[in-house]
Amino acid sequence: MYSTDINAGLRNIHKDDLNILQDSWSIIHRNVQKIGVNIFTMIFEQCPEAKFLFPFTDTTRRDSDFIKFHSLRFMQAIESVINSAENLNEIDPLLTNLGHVHGKLKERLEFKPEYWTVFRECTLYHFRRTLEKSNIIIKTRRLFGAVDPTHTNVDYLITLWGMLLDYMIEKMTMSFRADVRTRELNKNNWFQNEEEQNTNFMEERRETMKMQRTEQ
């Protein structure tokens, strides 16, 4: 029987499961940049329109410095969450800021929060590939009991990673939508102020012309 109620979310993760996640991250971290680039390459294959978020980058080049940098940034965000899983309040400001950053991309490059779902699936795919080749399977069997099939243990581990990514996406999406709403409100206020200023100008202009005609 597994330790964590998946529906309860990352805040209620069992200590044993957190240990396994941290062990698996230590394996992923050995090739973190390569895995990150593989994830972004797969994202561009699965969702070609995401390439438009990088207008000045050749996304076909796996050795692109910008792609390496950007993929590493996301992997570092994942690492920050896994390191702060016992006190998620510490990491929430980072996730909130990431949401705001992508809110700016919504205005400039039409970023869609649905891209995070693609990121999630591609991340889990490459995490699974990495972990299936490692001795993490032995550790999960030791934790959950040797009677469990190996593939079930890996499936459960990937489910835990999915729970962690879901937490990240939920927090980023909340701040993303708040940022978009604020920008739209500010834009509407700007248009309203601009219209009021134009109206006042025209009123003043009419009054001036009326006075000039009267004086004549």
Side-chain angles (χ1 to χ4, degrees), residues 25-41 62-76 79 126-127 130:
W25 175 254
S26 67
I27 294 168
I28 293 166
H29 193 266
R30 295 171 192 168
N31 294 294
V32 66
Q33 186 165 80
K34 179 181 178 180
I35 294 171
V37 171
N38 287 342
I39 290 169
F40 269 78
T41 300
R62 296 174 65 89
D63 61 345
S64 164
D65 289 338
F66 188 81
I67 296 299
K68 286 181 179 179
F69 172 78
H70 199 75
S71 60
L72 187 59
R73 287 278 300 273
F74 258 98
M75 296 299 278
Q76 288 172 339
E79 182 176 35
H126 283 285
F127 278 17
T130 300

Side-chain angles (χ1 to χ4, degrees), residues 30 36 39 41 46 57 64 95 126 157 176 184 192 200 206:
R30 295 171 192 168
I39 290 169
T41 300
Q46 298 292 320
T57 304
S64 164
L95 300 178
H126 283 285
L157 180 54
F176 169 85
E184 290 176 348
Q192 183 177 353
N200 291 337
R206 280 194 291 269

Side-chain angles (χ1 to χ4, degrees), residues 122-140:
C122 294
T123 299
L124 294 180
Y125 174 83
H126 283 285
F127 278 17
R128 176 186 289 276
R129 287 191 64 188
T130 300
L131 297 173
E132 283 179 341
K133 299 175 183 177
S134 73
N135 64 354
I136 193 69
I137 294 174
I138 298 174
K139 294 182 180 180
T140 55

